[in-house]
Amino acid sequence: MVKKQKIVVIGAGPVGSLAALYAASRGNDVEIYELRGDLRDPSTTPLNFTKSINLALSERGLNAMRHAGQPKLIDHVKAATIPMRGRMIHGKKPNGQLYEEAQDYDIHGRAILAIDRGGLNKRLLDILEEMPNVTFFFNHKLTGADFNKNKAWFEVKDGTSSGEKGQRAREIEIDFDFMIGADGAHSAVRYHLMKYTRMDYEQQYIDTLWCEFQIQPKENPEDDSLMSKFRISPNHLHIWPGKKFMFIAIPSDDGTFTCTLFAPAEFYTFLESDPSGAHIPDFFDTYFPGVTDLIPPAQLISSFHSNPHLPLISIKCKPYHYSSSAVIVGDAAHAMVPFYGQGMNAGLEDVRILFDILDKHARMDEETVDHDPASARERALDEYSRVRVQDAHAINDLALQNYVEMRASVLSLSYRFRKWLEEQLSVWLPGLGWQTKYSRVSFGNERYSEVVRKSEHQGRVLMRALTGLLFGALGGPLVAVGVVMAVRYRRAVDVGLRAAMGNVDSMVEYMTMNR
């Protein structure tokens, strides 16, 4: 009989909570250590000091929850979500008229789910609390770890250790069989893991800051239903693209929208230059038309000055483990910018893949004469790092690329044309297995690295087909030159398509109307 293991999870966010759920469902004793207080307590301050963070939950995250061994988990989580079937692009026409343009994520009608991070966390923690083999330790800060002896040390912030000046915080020592680090981008587990394994590490801050705003519900809704409270469509992720920056709004289940301004630091410096904030509404009216109709100017100014202006970090590292003792998952292993909505989903998928591999090696070990869980786990962690690193790096890169798509490419004719063409191929020629990159990422579970490979292949096929079409229709070598230049210099794609195909605007409009 396999000896019960003591699994220690560092970090009680969504990814750490799901890891604890997987471990506990396998009969292990699980201890969860969290730097902050109970995350279900409204008085607990989030690590980034913002009041509310809305997340996009997609198939990968749902699939990870589906395999957690808790049948009620999916329904419990979905009850607090709002389906978003696509983007709603906001702008202003040359005549000054405001417009909204819906861009569905998927031609088959699939949607991603907007959910409040705190609400998701609460539901996971509530389920864990019902499990007799799970114990919480809040206000515990990891200060040291010995991954050879499987020991860890924590500073405890509680009533017996107030942390007053000159008073040493109380410290405790624990032992464990296996530690899972799910403690975020500034991971303490990763920091201590680096002392034991030769970890390659890359950290990048992109030249973009973000600040949170909020659109309040209607003051006088038509009825008592939730849908009537929203001031704009609740079933879309709203984007005001500004080429170099953007403003987005994601619905919440209380009728509000959590909004975010993403912009280079120089723009924040400009907006911060006037303490009165008088030019903040003018900036929004110029670049994000219609926002001041949804958020009063005084509230815009107040939110800009009172909410923090935070950086965006991208982290890659490898390997993710040391021996049989420890592994890191989620942002601790691969923090990414939020522009693909995959940060949490990738972290939840980490958990599913990790335990699938652990289970496989545990079964193989049971078939041997001398059971050795530690050796089996070490082989599993070797495989996990080998498999997962390339996929994590792939989605990390895709997230960076998608920022350009959200703030600029959504206005591009070539982007809209390729999206339309790929969707039509997926409907009329399903045997080809054709899908948009976004659909593969958000509505499937194939490896991120495979998504990149297939998407690049589709792009090459489309370009060859377009080149052949243009040669056949126009027969001009200048067209071929234009296509090659468009591939090499992507900023010229729109211009090249206009020159080669004539009035692309009317063509795209016709295709969109006849989808």
Side-chain angles (χ1 to χ4, degrees), residues 136-149:
F136 294 108
F137 295 89
F138 295 109
N139 296 305
H140 280 61
K141 177 182 179 181
L142 179 68
T143 57
D146 185 330
F147 292 121
N148 287 323
K149 297 180 179 179

Side-chain angles (χ1 to χ4, degrees), residues 47-181:
L47 288 180
N48 56 16
F49 306 105
T50 59
K51 298 183 181 67
S52 173
I53 300 175
N54 282 28
L55 301 170
L57 181 62
S58 59
E59 166 58 22
R60 293 173 192 273
L62 291 170
N63 191 45
M65 294 183 196
R66 209 174 283 131
H67 289 82
Q70 294 289 328
K72 67 179 182 179
L73 175 60
I74 289 289
D75 291 338
H76 192 43
V77 168
K78 277 189 172 182
T81 65
I82 298 174
M84 296 188 295
R85 63 175 180 265
R87 300 163 177 160
M88 185 70 78
I89 310 303
H90 294 256
K92 183 187 290 186
K93 296 180 180 178
N95 63 6
Q97 181 182 354
L98 300 180
Y99 71 85
E100 294 180 344
E101 177 191 295
Q103 294 182 359
D104 286 355
Y105 287 130
D106 180 63
I107 197 170
H108 302 289
R110 292 174 291 187
I112 60 176
L113 304 176
I115 187 168
D116 174 74
R117 181 189 178 96
L120 172 61
N121 224 148
K122 180 181 185 304
R123 282 164 167 74
L124 288 167
L125 291 174
D126 285 346
I127 291 175
L128 282 168
E129 196 166 47
E130 297 174 0
M131 304 182 77
N133 54 331
V134 176
T135 308
F136 294 108
F137 295 89
F138 295 109
N139 296 305
H140 280 61
K141 177 182 179 181
L142 179 68
T143 57
D146 185 330
F147 292 121
N148 287 323
K149 297 180 179 179
N150 286 12
K151 293 184 179 294
W153 294 267
F154 297 84
E155 283 186 358
V156 183
K157 179 183 176 183
D158 56 21
T160 63
S161 177
S162 62
E164 295 178 0
K165 186 176 181 180
Q167 181 179 355
R168 184 179 176 83
R170 182 167 67 91
E171 187 174 80
I172 63 168
E173 177 184 295
I174 67 163
D175 56 15
F176 58 88
D177 293 301
F178 181 38
M179 177 183 288
I180 302 175

